[in-house]
Amino acid sequence: ELVVTQGFPCPHMQSIASSALRRVVLSASKRSNPLTSSTRRVVNRSIITRSAASMRAIAASVPLSGDAQVSYEALTSRLKKLSSLNDIEGIITWDELVMMPEGASEARGAQKAALAELVHLQATSAAMGEAISAAESAGAAEGCPWRRAVIRDARRDYNDAVRLPAELKAKEAELGAKGYAAWVKARKNDDWASFAPVLEELVALRKEMAAACADPGVSAYDYLLDKFERGMTEERLTEIFGELRTKLVPVIAKILAAKPLAHPPALESGTFAEDAQEAFCKHVSAAMGFDFGTGRLDRSVHPFTGGAGPHDVRITTRYDDSVFMDAVMGTVHEVGHALYEQGLNKEQDGLPVQRALSMGIHESQSLFWERYIGQSQEFWKAMLPEFHANFPETKDVSADDLYRFINKAKAGFIRVDADELTYSMHVVLRFELERALFGGKISVAELPDLWREKMRELLGVVPETDTLGVLQDVHWSDGSFGYFPSYTLGAMYACQFHAKAREEIDGFDELVAAGKFTPIRDWLRDKIHNVGSLYPSADELCEAVTGAPLDPSIYVEHLNKKYSALYGVAE
Amino acid sequence: ELVVTQGFPCPHMQSIASSALRRVVLSASKRSNPLTSSTRRVVNRSIITRSAASMRAIAASVPLSGDAQVSYEALTSRLKKLSSLNDIEGIITWDELVMMPEGASEARGAQKAALAELVHLQATSAAMGEAISAAESAGAAEGCPWRRAVIRDARRDYNDAVRLPAELKAKEAELGAKGYAAWVKARKNDDWASFAPVLEELVALRKEMAAACADPGVSAYDYLLDKFERGMTEERLTEIFGELRTKLVPVIAKILAAKPLAHPPALESGTFAEDAQEAFCKHVSAAMGFDFGTGRLDRSVHPFTGGAGPHDVRITTRYDDSVFMDAVMGTVHEVGHALYEQGLNKEQDGLPVQRALSMGIHESQSLFWERYIGQSQEFWKAMLPEFHANFPETKDVSADDLYRFINKAKAGFIRVDADELTYSMHVVLRFELERALFGGKISVAELPDLWREKMRELLGVVPETDTLGVLQDVHWSDGSFGYFPSYTLGAMYACQFHAKAREEIDGFDELVAAGKFTPIRDWLRDKIHNVGSLYPSADELCEAVTGAPLDPSIYVEHLNKKYSALYGVAE
């Protein structure tokens, strides 16, 4: 998970977005869909067809001078200070979750509120607005896509921030807290009826915010989606998730009907000392190329990646001596997030273009490592000696045993417990409900029944309680509608990046099997990390990296091939 | 040591004042000496003669209403936000010293600069000035000494902040960094000549700052003293340190001429496992009443107390397996600071009156525990079983052995290594030099020779190099003139408080010998911690607690009695 340190008011949000992404999460303005707006695509082609390295060459080749230079420097100076304040928020949030004594929580709340108020004042100041306008009219964006992206995002962030009326901002904070409290209680008591009215208020609030903040003609749901996934729209998502649903449901049904895999008792019911787990996780982190000179690995109740990247990236994990794989895969996942943060372009320190592009792209980096490296046979070949050394009781366990153990597939009710094969269906379900809700096709009251119906359609199981159904996720409790799609978009981007990386990196699988991850990390760094928010949408980044926008069929094909082989059924 | 997170620009200052005191350290306006201004004393009598508890009663008995209430609440709301921002600075400074990965130091510098800029803008805003004026003219100070102190200090802080011209503030930062770098180099190379010109610039800068910021008629040195020790003046210090020098020099000469104490080899050359030291230090901290629910104890290169008291007080210590007593006494010292912070008045959260009164009073709290508890025979009686349990090789060492070991006296060149008996002479030396320098009696060029001369007079030893003499301390390198006196004022306040506590607490020595420190902590909390900055000077607090302003003869008598007995010479 990633830590968001500002944005939506609910505490749970602290565990679902990175501080680098916070600004993405906060952003409110809506641009036209790059995949349906041909004019925009043409403009952006000039960016897309150039690699990050050649773009840096361009930046160097057309230096600024005169008014343009003066105005650009005045703007970036302001932006860097704002970024430093956001970094501070990242550090004190990490501290709160990892170090802070319990008795300080109220004081910490006051500290964060005071800082957020100042950040907001700076971000919405007339001086900031004037600095952006000056850079725009002096032509500071000309001749360099990096500068162009800096000014583009400064404008975007500024417009987002100034458009939100203070009373809606206050209402958001109030309702977020109220919704979270109501949800905790409702989930505990399996009492949907007590939560439904607050959820209705939250939907109404988000609609009101969209009406106030979105660009003309942008729907409320598109406005919300864009906060998490820049450039994404309901139309494009319907296309992507429609194809995913159509093609993946039969694959899932086929696999779930097959005979379950058997596993060695040493894996299923062994005990794994926490210290040995920690040693193993540190070994894996270092092998993946996590830089401890600009990062930390600590323990916390909920694993997350936070801090103030790229110079100070902090990941956490937790250890349970009965389920070693959670800590290992959790660490691999967080290191994936952390490598993205550590790999951000240091030449653009503190500027908007340096930031991670979207929640989906951030998740693509964690899932690239978790799903396509950590869950591969090759990875466990590489790690087997270290694994045996740390857990001597597993000496008879093979890399293939580990591979099969870590890739079990099973239909379940709970999204966060879902495996690779079935996870995306939980997301498709939520997307379809959110889209219908914001499109006025269904009411809040219909959600529990529709939830059960869709679970039956997608995974063939029906939860007996709302706690296991519509009440399971924290996200809606503070109105984070539009967030869920990022998880599965991330998985699909990761899959498409992985396929491309295997094409472009010589001996990819052999490198993984040898535990030599540096060329892989460096490929991601060059293609994705270093590029930050240069592209205005993940689809455009995906096209720059892989030659095509997101294609769900690549993902379905991967799952079909992998799980058919694992479960011994025909593709 | 205490951590200052803002104020003088040099990094070393981070290790010499608490974040709570930062505001004291920063304060610049000079009030008349309470001991020489009879009008003021009369006014303040009404405070002094009442205990904290009865003052709270007064506060409750004269509630505000109407304009006064509105204006007081508007002011305190602003002050609390500012305090929260300062708390954040405390946390990120702690993080920097204890947790931050090395590669983040440049980014952290930018973060702290961005925050400091915002804090300064808030502290000097027209809105803050208007809020203070409104509270003043609405009479919000009437009827309650706490409110009166809040408004008094808000005015003081505001005036201090707005009087300092931006160019002097910038010059202070620049020269502080330059001076620190020059000092590090000069001390390393024993090269006074390379440091002297920068020191001259620093003296000139402080004089210029005093001219710009001090109240009319206040000398530059008084202005500087007041930054660390509220209400203290050169005149009063000359009186205090003059008496101390006259009375203590012969006592020191007598003790140093006596036969040195002998110690068990187990103490002098034993090895003490770091884990056992840590366990022992945690035992001692808990016994002293350090609250781990609102604090932490970690390791760091230089021990300090920091964080964001009173709800989040963080102490650190370091362990060296050859010198266990440094860690133990270091921990006792830091816990003393920490108990002060944890004991600040929570009813006044975030308001200036809550803050620690002065550097000297803060040091009095650390030294109360270090010198009068930790260095006592009774303490080691109480701790002996735990000590033996953690260090089995010391099984033949008695409480008396430990008492003698910890109270060795020896003349040395280096202040920070000095023992209880001789420490104050290092401070008197520096005070006399600073006073003469700012009074125009001596030049910077004369300092090295005068240093040697005074060392001979006071302690009978003469350093052979400037590195062991005039170049040893970091303080002057960023212009922290006026800081040194606080150390010895703290030791003397502690002594006077201790004498009073032994009078007022039944069976004081027996409590210490039983390891029952709660009544002692609570006495300090009630008399000193809880009172915060209610009194406008340490002398007035001292009078409220002990019935008399600071009296150096109490301190000299203590040292004479204790060391004469230890060394077997006549008092």
Side-chain angles (χ1 to χ4, degrees):
Chain A
E1 296 284 337
L2 286 159
V3 164
V4 70
T5 54
Q6 197 187 350
F8 295 111
C10 168
H12 98 269
M13 286 295 292
Q14 291 171 351
S15 64
I16 48 178
S18 80
S19 68
L21 270 177
R22 168 184 6 86
R23 292 149 266 188
V24 174
V25 172
L26 271 177
S27 63
S29 85
K30 186 66 200 67
R31 287 163 298 97
S32 59
N33 180 352
L35 292 176
T36 54
S37 158
S38 59
T39 324
R40 185 164 200 109
R41 294 303 295 283
V42 171
V43 172
N44 285 318
R45 281 281 170 208
S46 65
I47 299 177
I48 292 174
T49 52
R50 290 186 181 94
S51 77
S54 70
M55 272 179 292
R56 280 197 296 280
I58 291 171
S61 72
V62 189
L64 288 175
S65 63
D67 278 359
Q69 187 182 4
V70 169
S71 68
Y72 188 69
E73 282 173 10
L75 173 60
T76 53
S77 164
R78 275 187 189 278
L79 295 172
K80 285 178 185 180
K81 283 181 194 171
L82 200 54
S83 171
S84 284
L85 296 174
N86 283 322
D87 285 347
I88 291 173
E89 212 171 10
I91 296 300
I92 64 174
T93 298
W94 173 86
D95 182 87
E96 186 177 350
L97 297 170
V98 184
M99 292 292 157
M100 188 185 78
E102 212 179 329
S105 59
E106 197 178 321
R108 182 58 53 87
Q111 290 156 17
K112 291 174 83 172
L115 183 60
E117 187 182 325
L118 281 193
V119 167
H120 183 73
L121 282 174
Q122 293 295 307
T124 59
S125 67
M128 179 66 88
E130 285 154 18
I132 297 166
S133 298
E136 286 168 340
S137 43
E142 296 308 310
C144 173
W146 294 92
R147 288 199 301 266
R148 195 185 310 146
V150 166
I151 295 169
R152 174 199 72 202
D153 285 359
R155 165 60 65 195
R156 172 189 157 105
D157 291 351
Y158 179 74
N159 285 353
D160 289 347
V162 296
R163 283 176 185 174
L164 186 63
E167 61 273 22
L168 281 187
K169 204 171 148 68
K171 197 170 169 189
E172 184 188 30
E174 189 197 318
L175 208 50
K178 182 177 158 190
Y180 179 73
W183 169 75
V184 169
K185 209 171 154 193
R187 187 169 81 144
K188 194 181 161 206
N189 302 329
D190 190 31
D191 180 13
W192 163 256
S194 71
F195 181 58
V198 196
L199 190 56
E200 269 165 16
E201 284 185 82
L202 284 160
V203 173
L205 170 72
R206 290 295 178 218
K207 285 182 178 171
E208 211 180 337
M209 286 175 71
C213 304
D215 284 339
V218 172
S219 75
Y221 194 55
D222 278 357
Y223 161 80
L224 295 169
L225 282 172
D226 187 76
K227 281 175 172 280
F228 301 101
E229 201 59 32
R230 298 179 61 159
M232 186 50 73
T233 62
E234 181 186 335
E235 185 184 357
R236 172 72 177 133
L237 257 187
T238 301
E239 182 186 358
I240 294 169
F241 283 177
E243 183 177 349
L244 181 67
R245 184 198 233 268
T246 307
K247 292 183 172 167
L248 192 55
V249 165
V251 174
I252 292 174
K254 173 182 74 178
I255 302 298
L256 295 186
K259 188 176 164 237
L261 304 178
H263 308 289
L267 292 180
E268 285 207 311
S269 52
T271 298
F272 305 88
E274 291 189 11
D275 284 354
Q277 289 192 46
E278 188 166 29
F280 185 72
C281 288
K282 289 204 166 167
H283 174 81
V284 170
S285 307
M288 288 170 64
F290 180 73
D291 175 10
F292 284 91
T294 56
R296 295 182 53 91
L297 169 56
D298 295 275
R299 297 184 183 204
S300 72
V301 180
H302 298 288
F304 69 94
T305 298
H311 304 285
D312 196 350
V313 181
R314 305 183 181 195
I315 57 179
T316 70
T317 192
R318 63 176 162 200
Y319 304 99
D320 173 340
D321 66 8
S322 65
V323 285
F324 81 99
M325 205 51 102
D326 283 8
V328 177
M329 285 298 114
T331 303
V332 170
H333 183 97
E334 301 308 333
V335 172
H337 282 306
L339 292 179
Y340 189 8
E341 292 285 321
Q342 289 187 326
L344 294 171
N345 193 333
K346 293 185 178 70
E347 287 171 34
Q348 303 292 330
D349 257 355
L351 298 179
V353 70
Q354 183 186 47
R355 303 183 309 215
L357 178 58
S358 74
M359 294 303 298
I361 293 299
H362 227 309
E363 199 69 9
S364 82
Q365 296 309 293
S366 53
L367 291 175
F368 182 99
W369 289 95
E370 183 184 355
R371 301 288 191 218
Y372 303 99
I373 306 289
Q375 287 183 226
S376 72
Q377 274 171 303
E378 291 78 13
F379 178 83
W380 288 102
K381 272 183 207 156
M383 292 300 156
L384 200 63
E386 190 72 20
F387 183 72
H388 284 158
N390 277 290
F391 309 108
E393 64 279 20
T394 65
K395 64 178 167 24
D396 298 326
V397 170
S398 70
D400 195 54
D401 288 334
L402 284 157
Y403 175 68
R404 294 161 70 86
F405 181 68
I406 212 167
N407 286 296
K408 293 176 295 226
K410 191 172 183 298
F413 304 130
I414 302 298
R415 178 185 56 83
V416 297
D417 296 335
D419 50 64
E420 181 186 20
L421 181 70
T422 59
Y423 192 104
S424 62
M425 293 300 103
H426 294 273
V427 169
V428 166
L429 177 152
R430 286 153 178 79
F431 166 67
E432 291 179 354
L433 294 179
E434 286 185 346
R435 183 182 55 166
L437 198 56
F438 278 87
K441 308 271 168 53
I442 62 169
S443 68
V444 163
E446 294 171 78
L447 288 172
D449 280 343
L450 287 169
W451 191 284
R452 285 184 280 271
E453 196 176 311
K454 283 181 186 290
M455 280 297 285
R456 189 183 295 111
E457 282 172 31
L458 295 165
L459 291 170
V461 293
V462 180
E464 285 180 13
T465 66
D466 289 328
T467 294
L468 294 172
V470 69
L471 287 172
Q472 72 182 266
D473 294 302
V474 69
H475 301 58
W476 290 347
S477 78
D478 73 344
S480 295
F481 308 104
Y483 186 94
F484 288 118
S486 301
Y487 293 119
T488 286
L489 288 169
M492 293 190 287
Y493 292 133
C495 188
Q496 196 159 331
F497 293 154
H498 176 249
K500 192 67 180 176
R502 287 185 76 225
E503 273 174 47
E504 295 194 353
I505 300 172
D506 281 345
F508 185 99
D509 292 348
E510 291 71 25
L511 285 168
V512 177
K516 290 185 174 152
F517 303 118
T518 310
I520 300 168
R521 183 200 67 178
D522 290 350
W523 185 90
L524 293 168
R525 184 162 285 182
D526 183 50
K527 303 279 180 181
I528 296 158
H529 307 175
N530 210 265
V531 178
S533 294
L534 192 63
Y535 301 102
S537 76
D539 254 333
E540 283 162 278
L541 173 67
C542 189
E543 181 159 353
V545 175
T546 70
L550 185 62
D551 176 358
S553 71
I554 299 173
Y555 185 60
V556 175
E557 193 185 334
H558 154 75
L559 293 176
N560 187 21
K561 197 172 163 187
K562 172 176 173 179
Y563 285 88
S564 296
L566 259 166
Y567 280 81
V569 297
E571 282 182 28
Chain B
E1 297 281 338
L2 285 159
V3 163
V4 70
T5 53
Q6 196 188 352
F8 296 111
C10 170
H12 98 268
M13 285 297 291
Q14 293 172 351
S15 64
I16 48 180
S18 80
S19 69
L21 270 176
R22 168 183 7 84
R23 293 150 264 190
V24 173
V25 172
L26 270 179
S27 63
S29 86
K30 187 65 200 69
R31 287 163 298 96
S32 58
N33 179 354
L35 293 177
T36 54
S37 158
S38 58
T39 324
R40 183 161 203 110
R41 294 303 295 283
V42 171
V43 172
N44 285 318
R45 281 280 171 209
S46 65
I47 299 176
I48 292 173
T49 53
R50 291 188 179 93
S51 77
S54 68
M55 273 179 291
R56 281 197 294 280
I58 291 172
S61 70
V62 188
L64 288 175
S65 63
D67 278 359
Q69 188 182 2
V70 169
S71 68
Y72 189 69
E73 282 172 9
L75 173 61
T76 54
S77 164
R78 275 184 189 280
L79 294 172
K80 285 177 184 181
K81 284 181 193 171
L82 201 53
S83 172
S84 284
L85 296 174
N86 283 322
D87 285 348
I88 291 173
E89 211 170 9
I91 296 301
I92 63 173
T93 298
W94 173 86
D95 181 87
E96 187 178 351
L97 296 171
V98 184
M99 292 291 157
M100 187 185 79
E102 212 178 327
S105 59
E106 198 178 320
R108 182 59 54 89
Q111 291 157 17
K112 292 175 82 173
L115 183 60
E117 188 182 324
L118 281 194
V119 168
H120 183 72
L121 281 174
Q122 295 294 308
T124 58
S125 69
M128 178 66 88
E130 286 154 18
I132 297 166
S133 298
E136 285 168 341
S137 43
E142 297 307 311
C144 172
W146 294 91
R147 289 199 301 266
R148 194 185 310 145
V150 166
I151 296 168
R152 174 199 72 201
D153 285 359
R155 166 60 66 196
R156 173 189 156 104
D157 290 352
Y158 180 75
N159 286 352
D160 288 348
V162 297
R163 283 176 185 174
L164 186 61
E167 61 272 21
L168 279 187
K169 202 170 149 69
K171 198 170 168 187
E172 186 189 28
E174 189 196 319
L175 208 50
K178 182 177 158 190
Y180 179 72
W183 169 76
V184 168
K185 211 173 152 190
R187 188 169 81 145
K188 193 180 163 209
N189 302 327
D190 189 32
D191 180 13
W192 162 256
S194 71
F195 180 59
V198 195
L199 190 56
E200 268 165 15
E201 283 185 83
L202 284 160
V203 172
L205 170 72
R206 291 294 178 218
K207 285 182 177 171
E208 212 179 336
M209 287 176 69
C213 305
D215 284 340
V218 171
S219 76
Y221 194 55
D222 278 356
Y223 161 79
L224 294 169
L225 281 172
D226 186 76
K227 282 175 170 280
F228 302 100
E229 201 58 34
R230 298 180 62 159
M232 187 49 72
T233 62
E234 182 185 335
E235 185 184 357
R236 171 74 175 131
L237 257 187
T238 302
E239 183 187 357
I240 294 168
F241 283 177
E243 183 177 348
L244 180 68
R245 184 198 232 268
T246 307
K247 292 182 173 168
L248 191 56
V249 166
V251 173
I252 291 174
K254 173 183 75 179
I255 301 299
L256 296 186
K259 187 173 164 242
L261 303 178
H263 308 291
L267 292 180
E268 284 207 310
S269 52
T271 300
F272 305 87
E274 291 189 13
D275 285 354
Q277 288 193 46
E278 188 166 29
F280 184 72
C281 287
K282 288 204 166 166
H283 173 83
V284 170
S285 306
M288 287 170 65
F290 180 73
D291 174 11
F292 284 91
T294 55
R296 295 182 54 90
L297 170 56
D298 296 275
R299 296 184 182 203
S300 72
V301 180
H302 298 288
F304 69 92
T305 298
H311 303 284
D312 196 350
V313 181
R314 305 184 181 193
I315 57 179
T316 70
T317 191
R318 64 177 161 201
Y319 305 99
D320 174 339
D321 66 7
S322 65
V323 285
F324 81 99
M325 204 52 104
D326 283 10
V328 177
M329 285 298 114
T331 303
V332 170
H333 183 97
E334 301 308 333
V335 171
H337 282 307
L339 292 178
Y340 188 9
E341 293 284 322
Q342 289 187 328
L344 294 171
N345 193 332
K346 294 185 178 68
E347 287 172 34
Q348 303 292 329
D349 256 356
L351 298 178
V353 70
Q354 183 186 47
R355 303 183 309 215
L357 178 59
S358 74
M359 294 302 298
I361 292 300
H362 227 308
E363 199 69 10
S364 83
Q365 296 309 293
S366 53
L367 291 176
F368 182 98
W369 290 95
E370 183 184 355
R371 302 288 192 217
Y372 304 99
I373 306 291
Q375 287 184 224
S376 72
Q377 273 172 305
E378 291 78 11
F379 178 82
W380 288 101
K381 272 183 206 155
M383 293 300 156
L384 200 63
E386 190 72 20
F387 183 72
H388 284 158
N390 277 291
F391 309 107
E393 64 279 23
T394 65
K395 64 178 168 23
D396 298 328
V397 170
S398 70
D400 194 52
D401 288 334
L402 283 157
Y403 174 66
R404 293 160 70 87
F405 182 68
I406 213 169
N407 286 295
K408 294 176 295 228
K410 191 172 182 300
F413 304 130
I414 304 297
R415 177 185 56 83
V416 296
D417 296 334
D419 51 61
E420 181 186 21
L421 181 69
T422 59
Y423 191 105
S424 61
M425 293 300 104
H426 294 274
V427 169
V428 166
L429 176 153
R430 286 152 179 79
F431 166 68
E432 292 179 354
L433 293 179
E434 287 185 345
R435 182 182 56 166
L437 198 56
F438 278 86
K441 308 271 168 52
I442 62 168
S443 68
V444 164
E446 294 171 81
L447 288 172
D449 281 342
L450 286 168
W451 190 285
R452 285 185 280 271
E453 196 177 308
K454 283 181 186 292
M455 280 298 285
R456 188 182 296 109
E457 281 172 31
L458 295 165
L459 292 171
V461 293
V462 181
E464 284 178 16
T465 67
D466 289 329
T467 294
L468 294 172
V470 69
L471 287 173
Q472 72 182 265
D473 294 302
V474 70
H475 301 58
W476 289 348
S477 79
D478 74 346
S480 296
F481 309 104
Y483 187 94
F484 288 117
S486 300
Y487 294 118
T488 287
L489 289 168
M492 293 190 288
Y493 293 133
C495 188
Q496 196 159 329
F497 293 153
H498 176 249
K500 192 66 181 179
R502 288 185 75 224
E503 273 175 45
E504 294 194 353
I505 301 172
D506 281 344
F508 185 100
D509 292 348
E510 290 71 22
L511 287 168
V512 177
K516 292 187 172 152
F517 303 118
T518 309
I520 299 168
R521 184 200 64 177
D522 290 348
W523 185 90
L524 292 169
R525 185 162 282 183
D526 183 51
K527 302 280 180 179
I528 296 159
H529 308 173
N530 211 265
V531 178
S533 294
L534 193 61
Y535 302 103
S537 75
D539 255 330
E540 283 162 279
L541 173 66
C542 190
E543 182 158 351
V545 176
T546 71
L550 185 61
D551 177 358
S553 71
I554 299 173
Y555 184 59
V556 175
E557 194 185 334
H558 154 76
L559 292 176
N560 188 19
K561 196 172 163 189
K562 172 176 173 179
Y563 285 88
S564 295
L566 259 166
Y567 280 79
V569 297
E571 283 181 29

